[in-house]
Amino acid sequence: MATALDATTLAPPSDALAFARDVLRLESEAIDRVCDQLDEVLVEAADRIFRCRGNVVVTGMGKAGLVGQKLAATLASTGTTAFPLHPGDAVHGDLGRIRSGDLVLALSQSGETEEVTRLIPSIRQLGAGLIALTASPTSTLGRGADLCITLGSIAEACPLGLAPSASTTAMMAVGDALALLVSRMRSFGPDDFLRYHPGGSLGRKLSRVADLMRTGPHVRTARPGESVRAVFVRLGGARRRSGAVLVVDEAGGLLGIFTDSDLARLFELRREHWLDREIREVMTADPVVVSVDATIAEAVELLRSRKLSELPVVDAERRLVGLVDITDLIGLEADDLEP
């Protein structure tokens, strides 16, 4: 069994990388041991959180409290109403945040942290449930809880065996497992995720085509019987430029696409006289399209894989509702839009 790093048996001080790898190895081994001993209590705890009709309140002191803040944030972002509560603030009035029907999730590796254990009577008096995440079910916290998720004894990676390191890593990993299990119970999907993550790279990745597409006068459309020349004369003037004309029928159904590249090709082939032909004769029929309900990431993948610059957006009946132009995506970071 791995033990805490011993400063007297370490490789020479110059071998800093070896030391860092030992820290990671010990923390990884701690997670493995906790994983092997997890039992049905974790599932029962997840079920309690899933069925909770109040709030989930996460508390802990010191490093465990910081892990608790992250756990509360993960729960909140995956569909569970949760918030952190500092135990010190709790005994100075913030216990008023807890109501009957709430569920308190208390983190303490020792299970004897005085600031946490003194909350137990108050939590009971307020009518809230209590789940412990701690080393031993026989600790004060473990005995006072309705359920105890047991981590077991964990040797810290700190050379002194004192600074919380392997224990908080294992605690965070178990917290993630708990939160994501609850999320799975909720059938939490991409649309739900987007609701709570509208900003940043996650928001960009999960945003819908409808949020970015061009509409109205910024989409150039034509009827199949119009000549190419007439279409381009009619569509001249100031507007948000796109490199495609979308050919639609009277009901708005998409029939085809004619791009600036198609226009250039006519000149390259010395077919200028085709400008007076009906656009349906030179358009690309049944072009690649994207659904209005698709994500931006899906649209980007279509543009990339099919080497396109414009992508018509259609509804379920293949009626034209908008256009995604590659120039609209230039400001978005490519890595954020990987599907």
Side-chain angles (χ1 to χ4, degrees), residues 46-127:
D47 186 67
R48 287 283 299 273
I49 294 172
F50 172 68
R51 297 180 184 279
C52 178
R53 293 296 172 261
N55 297 314
V56 175
V57 182
V58 187
T59 191
M61 193 69 191
K63 305 300 186 295
L66 296 175
V67 172
Q69 290 183 41
K70 192 271 182 186
L71 174 53
T74 300
L75 284 166
S77 70
T78 54
T80 298
T81 303
F83 59 86
L85 176 63
H86 193 285
D89 294 335
V91 297
H92 288 281
D94 282 6
L95 276 170
R97 299 183 182 185
I98 301 176
R99 295 287 184 270
S100 176
D102 287 350
L103 188 58
V104 178
L105 186 55
L107 283 62
S108 168
Q109 176 63 17
S110 69
E112 303 297 340
T113 306
E114 193 271 336
E115 293 90 345
V116 174
T117 58
R118 68 179 174 180
L119 297 180
I120 297 174
S122 298
I123 292 170
R124 294 301 184 202
Q125 185 178 14
L126 291 167

Side-chain angles (χ1 to χ4, degrees), residues 2-3 34 42 48 78 92 102 132 138 192 208 220 226 265 276 289 297 333:
T3 58
V34 173
L42 181 76
R48 287 283 299 273
T78 54
H92 288 281
D102 287 350
T138 62
D192 303 304
R208 297 296 173 184
R220 301 194 293 177
E226 290 185 273
R265 195 171 298 111
D276 294 311
V289 298
E333 296 182 21

Side-chain angles (χ1 to χ4, degrees), residues 221-300:
T221 61
R223 292 296 173 80
E226 290 185 273
S227 71
V228 176
R229 190 188 305 276
V231 168
F232 277 87
V233 169
R234 177 173 60 79
L235 294 177
R239 65 179 65 222
R240 191 179 177 189
R241 178 76 175 165
S242 70
V245 174
L246 304 176
V247 183
V248 295
D249 60 24
E250 293 183 359
L254 181 65
L255 301 175
I257 186 170
F258 184 82
T259 69
D260 285 356
S261 295
D262 294 325
L263 181 62
R265 195 171 298 111
L266 293 182
F267 287 100
E268 290 168 2
L269 298 174
R270 299 184 181 280
R271 293 176 179 172
E272 295 89 339
H273 57 286
W274 284 27
L275 293 176
D276 294 311
R277 292 192 176 189
E278 293 182 351
I279 197 168
R280 72 176 122 206
E281 298 181 45
V282 293
M283 71 181 186
T284 298
D286 298 321
V288 176
V289 298
V290 67
S291 168
V292 68
D293 296 321
T295 65
I296 295 297
E298 290 170 331
V300 168

Side-chain angles (χ1 to χ4, degrees), residues 144-164:
D146 302 315
L147 295 171
C148 180
I149 302 172
T150 304
L151 299 174
S153 178
I154 299 174
E156 302 295 0
C158 165
L160 301 176
L162 299 174

Side-chain angles (χ1 to χ4, degrees), residues 281-327:
E281 298 181 45
V282 293
M283 71 181 186
T284 298
D286 298 321
V288 176
V289 298
V290 67
S291 168
V292 68
D293 296 321
T295 65
I296 295 297
E298 290 170 331
V300 168
E301 178 57 26
L302 275 174
L303 288 167
R304 179 168 52 195
S305 63
R306 303 299 290 269
K307 294 180 170 52
L308 302 173
S309 297
E310 301 88 8
L311 195 58
V313 182
V314 298
D315 62 16
E317 283 73 42
R318 203 178 168 84
R319 290 190 298 262
L320 180 68
V321 293
L323 174 73
V324 173
D325 191 287
I326 196 169
T327 59

